[in-house]
Amino acid sequence: MTVNNARLSSFVIAIQSNLIQRPARRAPLLLWLAALVIAALALLPLGYLVIRATGAGYDKILDILLRPKTHEIFLSSVVLAASVTLAAVFLGVLLAWLTVRTDLPGRKIWAVLTVLPLVIPSYVGAFTLVSAFGPKGIVQGWLEPFGIDRLPSIYGFPGAFLALTLFSYPYVLLSVRAALRGLDPSLEEAARSLGRSQLRVFQEITLPHLRPSIMAGGLLVALYTLSDFGAVSMLRFDSFTRAIYLQYSASFDRSVAAVLALLLVALTLVILIFEKRMRGQARYYRSSSGAIRPARTVALGKWRWPALVFCGVVTLVGLVTPLAVVAFWLVRGTLAGEVFNLRLDVVANSLIGSGAAGLMAMVAAIPIAVLAIRFPGRVSSWLERSTYVGYALPGVVIALSLVFFGANYALFLYQTIFMLIFAYVVRFLPQAVGSTRASLLQVSPRLEEASRNLGRTPLQTLSSVTVPLIRPGLLTGIALVFLTAMKELPATLILGPTGFNTLATRIWDTAAEAFFTQASIPSLLLVMVSAVAVWIILAQEDKKAPR
């Protein structure tokens, strides 16, 4: 009888859980309208590309697509994106597990240090790696007394792979670490009580629950790699972004660049579909009260010191080396008596543009994420996916698309800071959507149901219940957009008003002319300001979302 009662109770709970997951009402019309407007604005660059490409005619489009050079660029971009994503997932998952679940010596310090490579812009990291490890670089100078006259070239695929992996793996690390901290430890404890080893528990319980966070972080890494301009340009790797930029800058006929960009959009859609299918439809809030307590610390035993060396090597190459090279330039220039020229308005421009972009992206992310999670369906899913298109496009494509629409349809916004901020939002909106989505997944819909049952409208519930509960995710999204907008280069160069300089453009202008000493001050300032954004992101990890 007791067994039957237990089964009946489980059955009732399951039915209640399924009923709770269904939205009690349709999404408010205002929410739909807001999401549709945001998705349409995010797809503006795609509209520009279609107009440019179709203007070339079918025969020319086919000719461009059949060129061997196009195939070569496509293959090299896919190989780079896949390689960087796999390496970033390996580093991110392993570092997250070491810094959250194990007795790694100094794990709280490593938890901060292993995230900080995120503050290094890819172009700064690229030319510091060239300066340190390239032929005739700093390391080679140290090795000359030992008869080593030249190190292997770092240009091309090896350098691009190393730079993009080192400065993008924190996207996976942050996502997986947040998932590990929110995972109910009773699941793993139950598996261990059944005799499972620690390795089998990780493979059968922990890893499947981490799959959505791994896919979310991996998606950002893949799209970041496809859209990167600074690192591939510095390291002379032929990717879509570099080819598109060269076509735009060297030719009056921009149809070739538009076709290449559309091919990049098609590749992005394939990645988005793959990520959606791999992510699955699991929920991540608890149906019951659960166990809100830390998981048991795993003893590393004989692997303790190899793990410490691993963390040290990653931090040395991804953080210490770039900062040390920049500091070397600064000290050398100071001793040589160079005069540093950096105006305060450059710093102010960076802060204002990036801060405004972060706030606007957060506001835009809320209706997209709420529709996708609370009112799932084909339309809401594609509205969410549409915001990711801009993240995979090079900044130069987004900038030129906005130049086209601004000059033809919104002349009052042309050559203003508002157009630049809008470009930042289109470019980095997925970061705000992703963090907001992750927080919303961990909030039980029961809380919103209770609010509506008390007479509040859906929009009142959204503003008074949902938004406060997902505040950590919103702050993380603001910080991520701020961080990446500070580093954005092509869009700032093209859309910035006349005389509008930022830390990113100042670094690029001086480094491109090999004035590395002049680039050191804005590089260090950019890293310091970006570190504040990373601190905000890390601070949100301690604020658990209600289940």
Side-chain angles (χ1 to χ4, degrees):
M1 188 70 177
T2 303
V3 174
N4 290 333
N5 288 337
R7 289 177 178 174
L8 179 60
S9 299
S10 300
F11 180 71
V12 171
I13 291 172
I15 293 176
Q16 290 174 342
S17 179
N18 289 329
L19 290 174
I20 288 170
Q21 291 183 62
R22 297 178 183 175
R25 305 174 186 178
R26 292 183 178 181
L29 179 61
L30 188 59
L31 196 64
W32 275 112
L33 290 176
L36 287 169
V37 169
I38 292 165
L41 293 175
L43 291 174
L44 272 180
L46 182 60
Y48 165 77
L49 293 176
V50 172
I51 293 172
R52 281 292 186 189
T54 53
Y58 174 79
D59 291 338
K60 187 169 184 178
I61 293 174
L62 189 61
D63 176 66
I64 295 169
L65 293 177
L66 294 178
R67 290 177 185 176
K69 185 63 176 177
T70 302
H71 301 162
E72 181 183 337
I73 292 171
F74 181 86
L75 182 61
S76 62
S77 297
V78 170
V79 170
L80 180 65
S83 302
V84 170
T85 303
L86 289 175
V89 166
F90 172 77
L91 291 177
V93 172
L94 185 54
L95 288 171
W97 187 73
L98 288 174
T99 55
V100 173
R101 288 296 182 86
T102 71
D103 60 349
L104 178 74
R107 67 174 183 170
K108 290 185 178 180
I109 298 175
W110 294 117
V112 176
L113 292 178
T114 52
V115 173
L116 286 179
L118 193 62
V119 308
I120 309 291
S122 64
Y123 46 89
V124 173
F127 64 69
T128 56
L129 290 176
V130 169
S131 178
F133 302 112
K136 301 300 180 181
I138 296 173
V139 174
Q140 188 272 326
W142 293 344
L143 297 176
E144 277 187 356
F146 301 98
I148 300 177
D149 296 327
R150 188 177 181 86
L151 291 176
S153 176
I154 198 173
Y155 292 102
F157 179 83
F161 169 77
L162 178 63
L164 290 171
T165 299
L166 287 174
F167 307 121
S168 65
Y169 80 81
Y171 287 120
V172 180
L173 171 59
L174 288 170
S175 179
V176 174
R177 196 158 70 188
L180 277 173
R181 292 168 69 99
L183 182 62
D184 188 344
S186 62
L187 300 173
E188 297 167 312
E189 291 168 1
R192 282 195 295 268
S193 68
L194 294 174
R196 300 288 196 277
S197 66
Q198 185 62 52
L199 180 60
R200 288 193 63 185
V201 169
F202 181 80
Q203 292 175 337
E204 298 175 4
I205 304 297
T206 310
L207 198 57
H209 281 80
L210 296 180
R211 184 178 65 179
S213 59
I214 293 173
M215 295 305 300
L219 175 64
L220 289 179
V221 172
L223 298 184
Y224 177 86
T225 302
L226 289 175
S227 65
D228 179 76
F229 169 75
V232 295
S233 297
M234 282 283 181
L235 294 162
R236 305 171 193 170
F237 179 78
D238 284 331
S239 68
F240 267 122
T241 307
R242 187 165 183 254
I244 291 168
Y245 178 79
L246 292 176
Q247 286 293 331
Y248 270 120
S249 60
S251 175
F252 289 104
D253 182 10
R254 292 173 175 169
S255 58
V256 176
V259 173
L260 291 177
L262 283 176
L263 194 57
L264 182 57
V265 171
L267 180 58
T268 301
L269 292 177
V270 172
I271 294 174
L272 291 173
I273 293 171
F274 174 78
E275 184 271 342
K276 185 176 185 297
R277 291 189 175 183
M278 290 295 293
R279 183 209 309 156
Q281 300 294 328
R283 62 171 176 80
Y284 300 97
Y285 59 87
R286 295 186 176 98
S287 297
S288 60
S289 59
I292 306 178
R293 53 186 170 80
R296 190 184 73 173
T297 300
V298 177
L300 289 174
K302 64 180 181 179
W303 294 103
R304 197 178 188 194
W305 299 113
L308 190 63
V309 172
F310 170 73
C311 293
V313 170
V314 173
T315 303
L316 175 65
V317 181
L319 179 64
V320 176
T321 297
L323 294 181
V325 171
V326 173
F328 171 76
W329 292 335
L330 178 61
V331 172
R332 186 178 64 178
T334 303
L335 295 177
E338 287 197 40
V339 178
F340 297 97
N341 181 23
L342 180 65
R343 303 189 309 270
L344 290 178
D345 63 319
V346 174
V347 181
N349 290 340
S350 297
L351 294 174
I352 292 171
S354 303
L359 292 172
M360 289 182 62
M362 180 268 290
V363 173
I366 292 174
I368 296 291
V370 170
L371 273 179
I373 302 303
R374 291 296 184 249
F375 305 94
R378 184 171 297 179
V379 176
S380 60
S381 175
W382 278 107
L383 285 176
E384 181 197 7
R385 297 292 97 184
S386 67
T387 63
Y388 281 80
V389 172
Y391 195 69
L393 288 175
V396 63
V397 173
I398 293 176
L400 288 173
S401 68
L402 295 183
V403 168
F404 172 80
F405 284 107
N408 289 279
Y409 306 108
L411 195 58
F412 65 97
L413 290 176
Y414 187 64
Q415 283 287 299
T416 67
I417 190 174
F418 301 105
M419 186 68 83
L420 178 61
I421 293 172
F422 178 62
Y424 288 158
V425 174
V426 171
R427 180 89 167 81
F428 305 119
L429 179 58
Q431 296 178 334
V433 172
S435 61
T436 303
R437 189 184 195 284
S439 285
L440 195 57
L441 278 169
Q442 294 185 334
V443 175
S444 173
R446 287 193 185 95
L447 302 173
E448 295 158 319
E449 290 288 340
S451 174
R452 286 195 289 267
N453 289 337
L454 292 174
R456 292 184 180 178
T457 66
L459 292 179
Q460 289 174 333
T461 298
L462 176 65
S463 61
S464 62
V465 177
T466 308
V467 170
L469 290 175
I470 62 174
R471 184 171 56 185
L474 296 178
L475 292 177
T476 297
I478 293 174
L480 277 173
V481 174
F482 174 85
L483 176 66
T484 46
M486 284 279 292
K487 302 184 291 184
E488 172 58 27
L489 188 62
T492 310
L493 289 171
I494 295 173
L495 291 175
T498 303
F500 184 88
N501 291 309
T502 65
L503 290 171
T505 59
R506 177 66 178 168
I507 293 168
W508 180 261
D509 291 340
T510 52
E513 299 295 330
F515 298 140
F516 294 141
T517 299
Q518 293 296 327
S520 62
I521 289 291
S523 296
L524 288 175
L525 282 174
L526 181 58
V527 168
M528 290 170 60
V529 174
S530 301
V532 175
V534 171
W535 174 79
I536 293 174
I537 295 170
L538 294 176
Q540 304 315 306
E541 289 188 347
D542 296 326
K543 300 177 181 179
K544 290 182 176 291
R547 293 330 196 253

